[in-house]
C-alpha cells in the first residue's frame, strides 16, 4: 500500500510550547483527560548526555500496523486506507483495547465517546484527514491542526516522498524508531550534534550529542510517565 | 380539599391566568429558579406555591411522590427557634425570604452549579464536566427570541438559555401553541435537567431547592411522555 | 408563637388569594407589556419559530446524541460555522503579546488563529499561512471568556469569613458602599487616607495601572502599587538608579533606526534566571530562529535545566541565590585581564576605578565565586572571557535574579558587567531586564486636590499583610486587589490572618471565585482580553492596540471603567472636595472610546517617551511594525534627526528598539537645561553611575552601598552572608509611587544567618513557573491549560529521590518553618542534587483541576517567608530552606 502521507518532525525547532497538543484537542474535540499527540522530553542525563530533546509523537500510521493486527473484531475495526492513513471505524469498535496495548508508540487510547452500539471506542491521531479537502488559504488551512499551529515550524506534513527528498537535500539524518518492524510513516529528524556543556564540569569537557535512544521513550503519553505533571 | 381551599378554588385560580395547566406549571417552576423576591417568599410561606404545583401536576396526571413535592412548602425553610413572643405574618415571610435567598445564593455561588443549558451540553464525559456559556443552545435561543420578537433582560444576554428563561419560554409555548408544536423545544432544550438536579443535590443541602429540582425533573418526564418523546 | 402555629397563621390569613407572584423575564415587543397575554400575533410568531427549529434539529424520538452541539468550543468549517467577522485582538497572558485573529460568529468567539504578518508569529503554520500562538493563546482565552465559573455580577459578602457566601448586588450599590467607606476612612480613621491600599495586575491592558494611581493620588493615599514588585521590577529599578531610566534595553524584530535585528543579531546571549521558552514562547521562538541565522551562542544560568536550555551551548547550574557571586567572579576576571572596553569606560562610566579596587579588595575572584556558586572557576573564567570578547553580547534577566532579597543589587552588578564591556547601548547587547517595559499611560495632570506628604508602605503587596498584622509603620483598613493575595503573596498563613482582621475591607477585582474570594468583602467582576479595546505591551516596549472581539460578559467592567465610575460616586459622597474635583479629572469617554483615549489623552500627554504612539498609528502600522517606546512625536528634536530610511512606513517615528544609543535620536530625548545637547544616560552626570560619593552616601543611608557587597537570602543552604532588617523605616531612594515616597526598612548587609534553620531544614527550596501553560492563577481556570500542567509537582534530582526512596509520581511532603504541603515527585536530572523545585500559582480553590480528575493543590506560598529587597520590594521567593520526606 502506498504510504502517501507523513509528518516531518524537526525537534531542533521545537520550543516545547505544546500548542500542537492543544490545537489537536480543539480540532478533533478531544476530551480533557487524554491527548492524541504529545511532546516528550528526552533527557537530560548529566552522567551521559546533558542535553534535552523534545520529540513530537503521534500515531505513526505504520506500514504494518500492530493495532490492526491486534484487533479481534471480525473484519477489523481499524483500516488502512489506500493512501496509507490508518483510521478507526467507530461503529465496529467494541472497546476491548487490544490495539491500545499492541501499539509500541502509545498512539491509541480508549475514549469516553460511545458508538451507536453503546461501546466506548478507541481514539487516535487521524492525520486530520477531514481537512485534506479544504482550501489551503482558509483559516486553519488543509493540513493537520498541530502542523498549522506550531509557532516555529517544527512540524510539517505532506507527501512522504517529497518530504524524504527534502530531508536528503538538506543533509539531515533520520532517526530510526522502527524497533518492531511496523514501518512507522513519520520522519523524525535526528538533531545535529550539539555541543552542550554543563558548566559544573571542566569547561573544556563539552559533550557532543548522540541521540539517547530508548524505544520506550517514544510513546504518546510518555510525558505523563516521565513527568507526571505533564 | 387542599389545605382548607377547595380544589375548585385552586382551579379557578389557574384559569384566571393560564390557558393551559402545563403553562401554569412551567411558569411556576421558572419562578422557583429565579432569585427569590419577597412576593415569592410569600407564595412559599403561604403554601400557595406548593398547592398550585401539586394541583397542576395532579391534573396533568404526572406522578410525583408526596414527600418530594412537600419540599416546596415553607416549613422546611423556617428552621430554628422563632424570635420574640409573637410573630406576625410579615416577619414569618421575611424569615423565609432570607432563608430562601441564602439557600439560593449558596447554591449558585461560587458558581459550581450554573443552571445554564450551554454549560451542561458541552463536553460531557462522566465526571469530566467542562462547561461553557454561550454554547449553541444559547445562540439558538437568541435566534428564537429574535424571530418571535421577545426581549430578555440585558443582564442575561450571555445566558439566554438559563433555566428560568427556558421554562418561561416553554410556558409561552404552552399558552400559544398546540401541544405537538412544543415537542421540539422540550426534547431539545430541556433534556439536561437531570444533570442539573444531580449537581443541585451535590452542592446544596437545601430541601427546598432539591425539591424544586426533583419536581422539575418529574414534570419534564411527564411532559415527554405526554408529548411522546423518547429520551436516550 | 410556635413555628407550626406561625405557619398556620400565615396560611389561614390567606383565604382565596390565588394570585401568584410571577415576574416575567420574557417581554414580547409585539405586545410591549410584561404579561404573557394571549395574542394571535405572538402565537403565529412562536409557531413559525418552533417549526423552523423543529425542521432543523428535532424529530420525534430525538435522542441526546443527535444533538448538534456537544464538545463544540471551536468550530470547523464543515460544521457550517464560518465567522462573520474577524477581529484583531490579542493575548495578554505573557508579554510576547501575540496578535489573535479572533473569528466571531453571531457575537460569539468561535476560533482563534495567530497573525502570520507579525514577524514574531510569522513562522507559524506552514508557509506562514497561519501565525503562531502557544497553547495558552490557542485556547486559553476562549476557555476563560465563556467559562461557567466566571463571576459576571458584582458580589457582596453575606456570610462570615472565610466563606464563599455572597449575593449579587448592583454596581450602584457596590460603588456607593465603597465610596462611602473610602470617605469614612479618610475622614474618620486615625490613619486617614493612607489606610487604603491598592494593587494592579499585569493581566490586563496598559491602561489598567495608571487609573488606579490617579484615583489613589486624588484620594490622598500613597499606597498605590502594582504587580511589578511581585514580577520583575528590580531590573528596571536598578537601571533607573544608575542609568537614569529603566526598561528592557533591547528589542525584538527589525529596527529601522539601527538597521539591525537588535537582540536578533546578538552573538552571545546570557540568560540569567529566565525560563524564556516557557514564559514567552513566541518571542523565544523568534530568538531561536535568529540564533540559527547568526550562529549565536547561548548560556543559560539557572539552578534547573528548563526548556530554555534546549538549544543552549552551556547550562550553568548555579546554586539558588548566588548569581551575584557569579557576576562578581566574571567582573573580577574581566577587569584584571584587560578585557574591558576602555573607550566606553573612560567616556561613560563613573566609578570604574572604585569598582575595580572594591572587587579586588573583597577578593571576589572566580575562585571565590566557585566556592559560593558551585561552578568551577575555570568555567566562570571561560564564560567571562566569551562574554567580554564576543560582540555584541546581551544579558537577559528575569525572575531568577529578581525574586531574591538582593534583586536590585544583583541587577546593578549585572549592569556593571554590561557597561564595562561596552555592551550597553548597542544593538544586540544590553541589560535586558524583562517585564520592565511598562510604557504606562499618561494622563493630564490632576487639577486640585491634596498633596500627598505621607510616605507609603514598602511598595509590595506582602507589606499590606505585614502592615495589618504588625500595625507598623501603620495599619491598613481597606485593600483593592487585582490578583490573588492568598496564592501569590509569601507566607499564606500570614496573609489569611491579615485578611481575617475585622477592620479590613477587601475589594477583589476578579474573574473567578478564587482563593482570596473567601476573604473578600466585595467582588468586582472584570473582563478578559477579548472583551474590551486594550493596549498591551511586548517585552521590548512595543505597544499594540487591540480591538474588542466580543461584548463584555454579564455586568463585567474593565478596571479603567471601574475607577472612572467610582470617581463619579466620590463626587456625590465626598464632602471635602467639590464634585467637579472628581468629575473634572476623569472622562467616561476614556473607557468608552479607547481610540480617542490613546489619540487625544495618552499621546498628547506622552511627551518624549510616548507622544508619538497614537492609537491610529498603532493600528495602521501593526502587525508588521510595532511602535516601541521611546517614540516621540515628529516635532520633537530627537525625531527630526532621523533619516528617511529610519522612519516607519507612515513617515513618522518608528520607536527606538535600542536604549542608551550613542546617537542624537536617543540623546536628544533627554535634553534639559544642564545638558542642552542631550544625555546618553538620563541622570545627573550623563554616565553609568557605578560609584560616586554622593550616590554611596544616599545608599548607605538605607543600609546598602553604591558598590554592593555580596549577600543573599537568609535561608541559603551554605549559610552565606545575608540581610537583616533593622527596626527603623527610611524613605526609599529607588521607589516612589506618590509624592510622599515609600518607606522601607533600613537594613544591615553582610550578617550571618541563623544556623539553626539549616539544621532543621537542610534542603534548598526554589520556586517558579510550572510550565508553558501557566501564567498567573488565571490560567488554572482553563481546562486545557490545566491538563498541560495538572499537578503541583515537587521536582528533584535522581540522587535525592534515591535517598528518599521515591520515584516519579510518589507523594512527598515539603515542610518549612511556615507550613507544609504535599505533591507528586518529578524526578529530573537537570536540577541541583540538594535542591527541590516547587512551582507557584496553584491554589486550593482551583475547581477546574478537580474537574479534570486531579485535585486543587495548596499554593507553594504556604512554605515561603517574607524577606524582601528594600531597594525594590521584591520577594525572596527562590531561595528558602525546607525538608522533604516521603508521605
Amino acid at each position: 500500500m502506498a504510504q502517501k502521507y507523513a509528518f516531518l518532525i524537526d525537534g531542533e525547532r521545537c520550543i516545547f510550547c505544546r500548542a500542537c497538543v492543544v490545537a489537536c484537542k480543539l480540532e478533533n474535540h478531544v476530551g480533557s483527560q487524554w491527548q492524541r499527540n504529545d511532546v516528550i522530553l528526552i533527557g537530560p542525563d548529566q552522567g551521559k548526555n546533558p542535553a534535552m530533546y523534545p520529540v513530537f509523537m503521534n500515531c505513526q500510521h505504520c506500514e504494518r500496523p500492530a493495532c490492526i493486527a491486534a484487533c479481534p473484531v471480525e473484519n477489523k475495526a481499524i483500516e488502512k486506507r489506500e493512501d496509507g492513513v490508518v483510521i478507526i471505524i467507530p461503529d465496529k469498535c467494541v472497546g476491548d483495547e487490544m490495539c491500545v496495548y499492541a501499539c509500541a508508540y502509545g498512539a491509541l487510547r480508549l475514549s469516553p465517546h460511545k458508538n451507536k452500539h453503546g461501546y466506548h471506542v478507541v481514539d487516535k491521531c487521524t492525520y486530520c484527514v477531514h481537512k485534506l479537502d479544504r482550501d489551503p488559504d482558509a483559516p486553519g488551512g488543509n493540513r493537520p491542526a498541530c502542523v498549522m499551529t506550531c509557532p516555529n515550524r517544527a512540524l510539517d506534513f505532506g507527501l512522504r516522498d517529497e518530504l524524504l527528498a527534502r530531508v536528503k537535500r538538506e543533509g539531515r539524518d533520520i532517526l530510526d524508531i522502527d524497533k518492531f518492524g511496523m514501518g512507522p510513516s513519520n520522519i523524525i529528524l535526528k538533531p545535529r550534534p550539539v555541543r552542550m556543556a554543563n558548566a559544573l564540569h571542566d569547561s573544556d569537557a563539552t559533550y557532543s550529542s548522540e541521540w539517547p535512544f530508548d524505544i520506550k521513550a517514544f510513546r504518546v503519553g510518555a510525558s505523563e510517565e516521565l513527568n507526571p505533571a505533564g | 380539599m387542599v389545605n382548607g381551599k377547595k380544589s375548585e378554588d385552586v382551579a379557578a385560580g389557574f384559569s384566571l391566568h393560564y390557558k393551559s395547566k402545563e403553562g401554569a406549571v412551567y411558569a411556576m417552576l421558572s419562578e422557583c429558579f429565579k432569585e427569590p423576591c419577597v412576593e415569592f417568599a410569600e407564595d412559599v410561606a403561604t403554601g400557595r406555591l406548593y398547592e398550585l404545583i401539586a394541583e397542576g401536576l395532579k391534573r396533568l396526571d404526572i406522578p410525583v411522590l408526596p414527600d418530594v413535592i412537600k419540599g416546596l412548602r415553607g416549613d422546611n425553610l423556617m428552621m430554628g427557634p422563632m424570635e420574640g413572643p409573637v410573630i406576625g405574618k410579615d416577619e414569618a415571610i421575611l424569615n423565609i425570604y432570607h432563608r430562601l435567598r441564602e439557600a439560593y445564593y449558596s447554591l449558585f455561588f461560587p458558581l459550581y452549579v450554573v443552571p445554564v443549558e450551554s454549560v451542561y451540553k458541552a463536553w460531557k464525559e462522566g465526571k469530566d464536566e467542562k462547561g461553557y456559556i454561550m454554547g449553541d443552545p444559547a445562540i439558538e435561543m437568541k435566534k428564537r427570541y429574535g424571530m418571535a420578537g421577545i426581549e430578555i433582560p440585558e443582564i442575561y444576554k450571555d445566558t439566554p438559555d438559563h433555566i428560568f428563561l427556558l421554562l418561561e419560554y416553554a410556558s409561552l409555548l404552552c399558552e400559544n401553541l398546540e401541544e405537538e408544536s412544543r415537542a421540539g423545544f422540550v426534547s431539545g432544550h430541556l433534556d439536561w435537567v437531570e444533570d442539573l438536579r444531580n449537581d443541585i443535590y451535590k452542592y446544596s443541602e437545601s430541601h427546598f431547592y432539591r425539591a424544586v429540582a426533583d419536581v422539575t425533573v418529574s414534570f419534564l418526564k411527564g411532559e415527554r411522555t405526554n408529548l411522546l418523546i423518547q429520551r436516550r | 408563637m410556635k413555628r407550626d402555629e406561625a405557619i398556620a397563621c400565615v396560611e389561614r390569613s390567606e383565604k382565596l388569594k390565588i394570585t401568584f407572584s410571577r415576574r416575567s423575564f420574557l417581554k414580547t415587543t409585539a405586545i410591549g407589556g410584561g404579561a404573557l397575554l394571549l395574542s394571535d400575533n405572538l402565537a403565529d410568531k412562536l409557531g413559525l419559530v418552533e417549526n423552523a427549529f423543529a425542521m432543523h434539529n428535532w424529530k420525534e424520538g430525538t435522542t441526546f446524541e443527535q444533538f448538534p452541539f456537544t464538545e463544540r468550543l471551536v468550530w470547523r468549517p464543515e460544521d457550517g460555522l464560518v465567522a462573520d467577522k474577524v477581529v484583531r485582538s490579542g493575548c495578554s497572558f505573557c508579554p510576547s503579546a501575540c496578535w489573535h485573529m479572533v473569528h466571531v460568529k453571531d457575537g460569539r468567539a468561535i476560533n482563534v488563529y495567530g497573525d502570520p504578518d507579525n514577524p514574531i508569529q510569522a513562522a507559524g503554520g506552514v508557509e506562514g499561512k497561519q501565525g503562531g500562538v502557544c497553547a495558552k493563546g490557542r485556547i486559553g482565552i476562549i476557555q476563560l471568556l465563556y467559562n461557567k465559573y466566571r463571576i459576571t455580577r458584582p458580589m457582596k459578602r453575606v456570610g462570615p469569613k472565610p466563606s464563599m457566601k455572597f449575593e449579587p448586588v448592583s454596581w450602584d450599590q457596590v460603588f456607593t458602599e465603597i465610596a462611602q467607606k473610602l470617605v469614612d476612612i479618610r475622614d474618620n480613621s486615625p490613619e486617614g487616607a493612607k489606610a487604603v491600599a491598592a494593587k494592579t495586575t499585569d493581566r490586563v491592558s496598559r491602561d489598567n495601572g495608571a487609573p488606579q494611581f490617579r484615583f489613589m493620588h486624588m484620594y490622598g493615599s500613597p499606597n498605590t502599587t502594582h504587580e511589578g514588585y511581585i514580577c520583575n521590577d528590580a531590573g528596571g529599578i536598578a537601571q533607573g538608579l544608575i542609568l537614569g531610566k529603566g526598561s528592557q534595553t533591547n528589542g525584538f524584530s527589525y529596527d529601522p533606526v539601527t538597521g539591525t535585528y537588535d537582540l536578533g543579531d546578538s552573538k552571545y546571549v546570557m540568560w540569567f534566571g529566565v525560563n524564556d521558552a516557557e514564559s514567552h514562547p513566541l518571542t523565544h521562538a523568534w530568538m531561536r530562529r535568529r540564533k540559527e541565522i547568526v550562529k549565536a551562542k547561548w548560556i543559560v544560568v539557572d539552578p534547573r535545566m528548563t526548556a530554555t536550555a534546549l538549544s543552549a551551548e552551556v547550562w550553568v547550574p548555579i546554586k539558588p541565590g548566588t548569581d551575584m557571586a557569579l557576576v562578581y567572579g566574571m567582573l573580577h576576571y574581566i577587569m584584571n585581564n584587560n578585557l574591558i572596553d576602555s573607550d566606553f569606560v573612560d567616556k561613560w562610566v563613573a566609578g570604574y576605578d572604585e569598582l575595580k579596587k572594591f572587587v579586588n579588595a573583597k577578593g571576589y575572584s572566580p575562585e571565590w565565586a566557585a566556592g559560593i556558586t558551585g561552578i568551577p572557576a575555570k568555567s566562570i573564567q571561560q564564560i567571562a572571557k566569551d562574554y567580554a570578547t564576543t560582540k555584541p553580547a546581551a544579558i537577559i534577566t528575569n525572575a531568577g535574579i529578581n525574586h531574591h532579597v538582593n534583586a536590585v543589587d544583583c541587577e546593578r552588578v549585572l549592569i556593571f558587567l554590561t557597561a564595562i564591556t561596552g555592551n550597553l547601548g548597542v544593538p544586540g547587547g544590553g541589560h535586558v531586564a524583562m517585564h520592565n517595559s511598562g510604557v504606562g499611560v499618561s494622563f493630564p495632570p490632576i487639577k486640585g486636590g491634596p498633596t500627598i506628604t505621607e510616605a507609603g508602605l514598602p511598595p509590595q503587596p506582602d507589606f499590606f499583610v505585614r502592615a495589618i498584622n504588625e500595625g507598623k509603620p501603620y495599619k491598613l483598613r481597606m485593600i483593592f486587589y487585582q490578583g490573588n493575595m492568598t496564592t501569590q503573596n509569601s507566607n499564606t498563613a500570614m496573609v489569611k490572618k491579615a485578611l481575617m482582621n475585622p477592620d479590613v475591607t477587601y475589594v477583589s477585582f476578579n474573574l473567578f471565585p478564587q482563593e482570596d474570594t473567601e476573604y473578600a468583602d466585595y467582588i468586582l467582576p472584570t473582563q478578559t482580553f477579548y472583551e474590551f479595546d486594550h493596549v498591551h505591551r511586548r517585552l521590548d516596549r512595543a505597544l499594540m492596540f487591540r480591538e474588542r472581539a466580543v461584548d463584555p460578559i454579564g455586568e463585567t467592567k474593565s478596571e479603567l471603567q471601574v475607577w472612572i465610575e467610582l470617581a463619579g460616586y466620590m463626587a456625590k459622597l465626598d464632602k471635602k472636595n467639590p464634585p467637579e474635583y472628581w468629575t473634572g479629572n476623569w472622562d467616561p469617554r476614556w473607557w468608552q472610546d479607547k481610540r480617542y483615549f490613546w489619540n487625544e489623552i495618552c499621546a498628547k500627554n506622552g511627551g518624549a517617551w510616548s507622544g508619538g504612539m497614537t492609537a491610529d498609528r498603532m493600528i495602521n502600522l501593526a502587525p508588521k511594525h510595532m511602535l516601541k517606546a521611546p517614540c516621540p512625536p515628529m516635532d520633537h528634536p530627537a525625531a527630526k534627526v532621523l533619516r528617511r530610511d529610519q522612519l516607519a512606513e507612515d513617515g513618522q517615528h518608528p520607536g527606538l528598539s535600542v536604549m542608551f544609543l550613542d546617537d542624537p535620536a536617543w540623546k536628544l530625548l533627554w535634553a534639559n537645561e544642564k545638558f542642552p545637547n542631550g544625555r546618553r544616560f538620563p541622570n545627573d552626570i550623563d554616565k553609568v553611575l557605578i560609584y560616586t560619593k554622593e550616590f554611596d552616601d544616599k545608599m548607605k543611608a538605607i543600609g546598602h552601598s553604591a558598590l554592593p557587597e555580596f549577600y543573599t537570602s537568609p535561608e541559603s543552604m551554605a549559610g552565606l552572608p545575608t540581610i537583616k532588617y533593622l527596626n527603623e523605616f527610611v524613605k526609599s531612594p529607588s521607589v516612589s509611587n506618590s509624592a510622599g515616597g515609600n518607606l522601607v526598612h533600613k537594613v544591615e548587609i553582610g550578617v550571618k544567618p541563623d544556623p539553626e534553620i539549616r539544621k532543621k531544614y537542610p534542603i534548598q527550596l526554589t520556586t517558579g513557573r510550572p510550565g508553558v501553560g501557566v501564567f498567573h492563577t488565571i490560567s488554572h481556570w482553563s481546562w486545557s491549560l490545566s491538563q498541560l500542567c495538572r499537578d503541583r509537582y515537587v521536582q528533584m534530582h535522581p540522587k535525592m529521590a534515591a535517598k528518599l526512596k521515591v520515584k516519579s509520581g510518589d507523594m512527598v511532603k515539603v515542610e518549612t518553618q511556615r507550613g507544609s504541603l504535599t505533591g507528586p515527585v518529578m524526578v529530573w536530572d537537570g536540577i541541583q542534587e540538594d535542591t527541590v523545585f516547587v512551582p507557584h500559582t496553584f491554589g486550593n480553590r482551583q475547581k477546574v483541576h478537580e474537574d479534570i480528575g486531579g485535585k486543587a493543590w495548596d499554593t507553594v506560598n504556604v512554605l515561603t517567608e517574607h524577606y524582601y529587597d528594600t531597594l525594590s520590594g521584591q520577594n525572596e521567593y527562590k531561595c528558602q530552606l525546607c525538608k522533604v520526606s516521603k508521605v
Side-chain angles (χ1 to χ4, degrees), chain B residues 77-96:
Chain B
L77 291 154
M78 293 184 78
M79 294 176 291
M82 304 291 280
E83 309 265 306
V86 170
I87 182 152
K89 173 192 125 185
D90 287 338
E91 280 106 326
I93 291 171
L94 274 178
N95 188 293
I96 289 195

Side-chain angles (χ1 to χ4, degrees), chain C residues 216-348:
Chain C
M216 295 291 277
H217 291 165
M218 286 177 66
Y219 173 69
S221 171
N223 284 313
T224 170
T225 186
H226 55 75
E227 74 291 340
Y229 308 102
I230 298 186
C231 186
N232 284 281
D233 266 29
I237 290 173
Q239 291 172 352
L241 272 176
I242 65 183
L243 303 176
K245 180 76 187 172
S247 192
Q248 170 163 322
T249 58
N250 290 67
F252 310 113
S253 74
Y254 181 72
D255 170 32
V257 172
T258 57
T260 66
Y261 283 92
D262 202 353
L263 282 174
D265 282 339
S266 184
K267 290 286 203 149
Y268 194 89
V269 181
M270 291 197 70
W271 302 89
F272 265 96
V274 191
N275 187 356
D276 198 51
E278 296 195 274
S279 299
H280 327 114
L282 271 286
T283 45
H284 188 77
W286 183 84
M287 290 288 285
R288 285 272 298 261
R289 294 195 290 281
R290 293 298 308 174
K291 175 182 194 280
E292 289 296 310
I293 294 170
V294 305
K295 307 276 179 269
K297 203 167 174 198
W298 281 14
I299 317 298
V300 173
V301 179
D302 194 320
R304 308 188 301 139
M305 185 184 278
T306 61
T308 305
L310 278 171
S311 68
E313 274 67 25
V314 185
W315 171 45
V316 183
I318 196 168
K319 288 195 200 285
T322 62
D323 302 79
M324 205 200 287
L326 174 69
V327 185
Y328 266 133
M330 290 172 68
L331 269 174
H332 188 282
Y333 182 82
I334 290 170
M335 291 192 292
N336 288 316
N337 284 278
N338 276 320
L339 293 173
I340 64 170
D341 181 334
S342 326
D343 285 337
F344 185 92
V345 170
D346 288 340
K347 201 163 173 208
W348 297 108

Side-chain angles (χ1 to χ4, degrees), chain B residues 27 37 58 117 208-209:
Chain B
C37 61
K58 177 161 156 254
E117 187 186 353
F208 180 81
Y209 283 102

